Amino acid sequence: MKIILIGFMGSGKSTLGKLLAQKLKVPLHDTDQILLEVSKRKSIPEIFEKEGETAFREYEIAACRSLRNNQNCVISTGGGIVVNKINLDYLKEQNGRIIFLKTSWKTVLKRVGNSKVRPLMKDKHAAKKLYDFRQNLYEYYADTMIDTNDISPAEIVNEIITKLNYSREVRGH
Ligand code: S3P
């Protein structure tokens, strides 16, 4: 199985992805890391500055495409992965299960409000609009949702594993 973590910036996709991959003893892939390698840029802010968001989204699509044949792994994504449906189509290929890590706006601000590596968090008003707009998209694409506000990373990981086993039994695969 392939587990894909989605959610807004600061929802813990990278941290939880690492923990989950360790626990399940499978490789972790991170779409931001892959696209950075492909772009040959030093950082995400540099891609936004020199090439703009549209180019960033194209790199992101290419990163998802490059992962479509990977099996038995955990994939952590960038918060904007849901902006292009094709990303989810690629990631879901061959039994991918999508987990939405739901996080309140307050928690997002606390965790990444001052981030220097997230161009789309600079303007808080615009970021809140993005947050509101994307909630429906995360829900729409997710097979399972987990509220990450008041529970520890270890508990979230256990919950993900429990939920996936449960739905596997129910669905019979
Ligand atoms: C983005 C989220 C970032 C990164 C880029 C754009 C977004 O990833 O992909 O800055 O559009 O929400 P994280 O969600 O890991 O911060």
Side-chain angles (χ1 to χ4, degrees), residues 6 15 18 33-35 44-45 49 56 60 67 72 79-80 88 90 98-99 108 111 117 120 123 140 150 152 158:
I6 66 169
T15 312
K18 269 184 210 135
Q33 236 169 49
I34 296 172
L35 74 83
I44 288 177
E49 261 164 48
F56 174 85
E60 195 168 48
L67 286 170
N72 295 321
L88 289 309
Y90 284 141
I98 303 186
I99 319 271
V108 167
R111 290 190 188 150
V117 292
L120 298 178
D123 176 345
Y140 176 77
D150 298 313
S152 71
N158 286 337

Side-chain angles (χ1 to χ4, degrees), residues 1-4 95-99 143 164 167 171 173:
M1 194 200 302
K2 165 154 77 166
I3 304 176
I4 302 131
N95 204 18
R97 307 300 279 270
I98 303 186
I99 319 271
D143 296 300
L164 287 176
S167 51
R171 294 179 192 203
H173 56 76

Side-chain angles (χ1 to χ4, degrees), residues 53-67:
E53 182 172 350
T54 307
F56 174 85
R57 297 297 168 204
E58 278 165 18
Y59 289 130
E60 195 168 48
I61 292 172
C64 293
R65 189 166 191 275
S66 77
L67 286 170

